[in-house]
Amino acid sequence: MKKVPLSQLNPGIVFTEPVYIQDNHLFVAAGVPVKPKELERLKAWGIDAVYTNGDILVPPQEKEEAAPSRGTAKTPDEGTLSSPQAKEELSSAKRQILSLPEVLERSGAYKTYTNLIEKLSDIFETIAQGLSVNNRSIDTITDRLLELVRENSDQVVTYILAGEITSASLAKSSVNTAILAAMIAEEMKIPNVKILTITTGALLHDIGMLRVPREILEKKENLTTQELQRIQVHPLYGYKIIVKELLYSEEVGRIALQHHERWDGEGYPRRLSGEAIDIGARIVSVCDAFEAMVSEKPYRNSMIGYQAMKNLLSDNGRRFDPEVLKAFIKTMGIYPIGSLVLINNGALARVIDVHGDAPLRPKLQILIDEFGKAYKGNEGEVLDLLTEKSLFIVRAINPKEIENLV
């Protein structure tokens, strides 16, 4: 398909073939003039190009541009979005949208999630001080985490994307990675005993970072060659801590040792490739990469879930096992649960469920409808895009964009 920049579109232009926006969603049919309102929506959505196999059939005419003089009636969303009441509602809604829904913060699942991070952080601090740790305390965290995932998988993904917790970064990253790894392992129908091993390995996959100087980990500038080498030794440190100090099995240790190996053999520390890499390490590799992309780091801002998924999808068998990626996408969807999205009718919604076989058609809950009405808590209408065929997601919204929506 040809890419047509938005700057080349004007009201009244007609194409010989259908015109699409991202993800193959129809923008305008063949032979139908582009309307001024449709162009305004594209600009509001932040879309800078459309795609088509056709050519321009009818260029924009002056009479098309003058058409609004026959009447200036506004569509409902034009009128209500600019009203003072709508703006006041939106201003109030922004605070809710930019943080976890209150109902989730009050839930037992969220308390369990934060408690797991606190407990693991305490364990990491003990190990960093050179003190011994009984691995039964880690096993308890693993058991509680698996129970949390199996009972509240939709909610815990929301917690990961929301990024509400700003302290205990290593423990938070480790818990998040373990949650995602457990979900993939469940999707791949891996036996329960192996899932337990993978989840434990995921919790401890970056424990070797405790042996890397803090000033390197928190550095905002580019790392020197020597600093990068120090970081790349952390899988070896992790393996030794897990097997020699915590007395876990080689199988758990291999996950930490190999989680930076690549499917194409270009990883480290041993340049293993393909199925020579432990399946647990292959799973953790995907989860670790996703978690790193959606979390704030000293050297960059976090990436929204949709963009992180697109980055993973573009891997093409270089870093990740394609089968693990397939299971991850089936579990998470292209728009992960908790993502904020803009719908083609102008409404803003949050993804609340995904369909494994239709990753572009998740279930949504409306936060701000097409008329500018904002909803609190879980009051907004629930839409299943699998059945609502006329609606589709235009794009994912970075929470930082919310301020510019009014």
Side-chain angles (χ1 to χ4, degrees), residues 211-228:
R211 300 287 191 259
V212 178
R214 186 179 296 273
E215 58 268 23
I216 294 179
L217 298 177
E218 296 179 352
K219 186 176 180 180
K220 296 182 180 180
E221 298 80 20
N222 290 334
L223 297 175
T224 66
T225 301
Q226 292 75 20
E227 290 169 338
L228 187 59

Side-chain angles (χ1 to χ4, degrees), residues 35-321:
K35 298 177 182 178
K37 180 60 180 176
E38 292 168 335
L39 292 178
E40 290 173 15
R41 283 190 183 277
L42 287 186
K43 292 176 183 177
W45 293 341
I47 291 174
D48 57 9
V50 294
Y51 303 86
T52 183
N53 286 322
D55 298 310
I56 295 175
L57 179 63
V58 178
Q61 302 292 324
E62 290 185 6
K63 64 180 181 180
E64 293 288 349
E65 296 180 18
S69 63
R70 291 177 294 182
T72 56
K74 296 179 179 179
T75 56
D77 55 323
E78 285 181 295
T80 55
L81 279 174
S82 60
S83 71
Q85 180 181 358
K87 287 189 175 183
E88 184 178 344
E89 290 178 343
L90 286 170
S91 179
S92 173
K94 286 174 188 175
R95 293 189 295 273
Q96 172 190 320
I97 294 169
L98 291 172
S99 61
L100 280 174
E102 187 179 347
V103 66
L104 293 185
E105 287 186 333
R106 291 199 307 263
S107 71
Y110 186 70
K111 292 175 183 176
T112 298
Y113 170 73
T114 55
N115 183 255
L116 291 175
I117 293 172
E118 291 169 4
K119 295 290 187 186
L120 189 62
S121 182
D122 290 342
I123 290 172
F124 284 169
E125 183 61 31
T126 301
I127 293 172
Q129 293 174 5
L131 303 175
S132 62
V133 170
N134 190 318
N135 63 22
R136 284 199 297 271
S137 60
I138 299 172
D139 292 340
T140 299
I141 293 175
T142 301
D143 291 339
R144 290 183 65 199
L145 187 146
L146 280 171
E147 183 180 347
L148 178 68
V149 168
R150 287 164 176 163
E151 294 180 359
N152 303 277
S153 61
D154 54 346
Q155 291 187 25
V156 292
V157 173
T158 300
Y159 304 154
I160 292 172
L161 293 180
E164 293 285 299
I165 299 173
T166 56
S167 60
S169 59
L170 180 59
K172 182 185 75 169
S173 170
S174 300
V175 168
N176 289 347
T177 300
I179 286 170
L180 298 172
M183 291 173 65
I184 292 179
E186 295 270 6
E187 176 63 34
M188 295 181 73
K189 303 295 189 294
I190 290 174
N192 284 333
V193 173
K194 182 69 173 177
I195 289 177
L196 192 65
T197 299
I198 291 172
T199 306
T200 304
L203 273 177
L204 302 175
H205 78 284
D206 261 347
I207 199 170
M209 286 294 191
L210 297 174
R211 300 287 191 259
V212 178
R214 186 179 296 273
E215 58 268 23
I216 294 179
L217 298 177
E218 296 179 352
K219 186 176 180 180
K220 296 182 180 180
E221 298 80 20
N222 290 334
L223 297 175
T224 66
T225 301
Q226 292 75 20
E227 290 169 338
L228 187 59
Q229 288 173 347
R230 291 291 298 275
I231 286 183
Q232 290 185 342
V233 175
H234 83 270
L236 291 167
Y237 291 150
Y239 172 82
K240 290 179 181 178
I241 293 171
I242 292 168
V243 176
K244 304 297 184 183
E245 298 179 26
L246 298 176
L247 304 179
Y248 276 108
S249 67
E250 286 277 334
E251 195 174 9
V252 176
R254 277 198 301 271
I255 293 174
L257 181 64
Q258 298 178 4
H259 77 278
H260 279 295
E261 301 287 1
R262 291 173 45 131
W263 186 251
D264 62 5
E266 294 298 316
Y268 63 88
R270 297 181 176 175
R271 298 178 70 85
L272 300 177
S273 64
E275 294 186 0
I277 305 168
D278 181 86
I279 181 61
R282 282 181 265 154
I283 289 173
V284 169
S285 177
V286 172
C287 302
D288 182 53
F290 179 83
E291 201 283 333
M293 284 188 280
V294 300
S295 298
E296 292 274 355
K297 300 292 180 185
Y299 47 86
R300 62 159 173 76
N301 292 327
S302 65
M303 192 180 289
I304 58 174
Y306 169 71
Q307 187 59 51
M309 294 301 294
K310 284 187 70 173
N311 282 6
L312 292 177
L313 281 169
S314 66
D315 179 68
N316 294 324
R318 296 189 299 271
R319 290 182 60 188
F320 309 116
D321 178 347

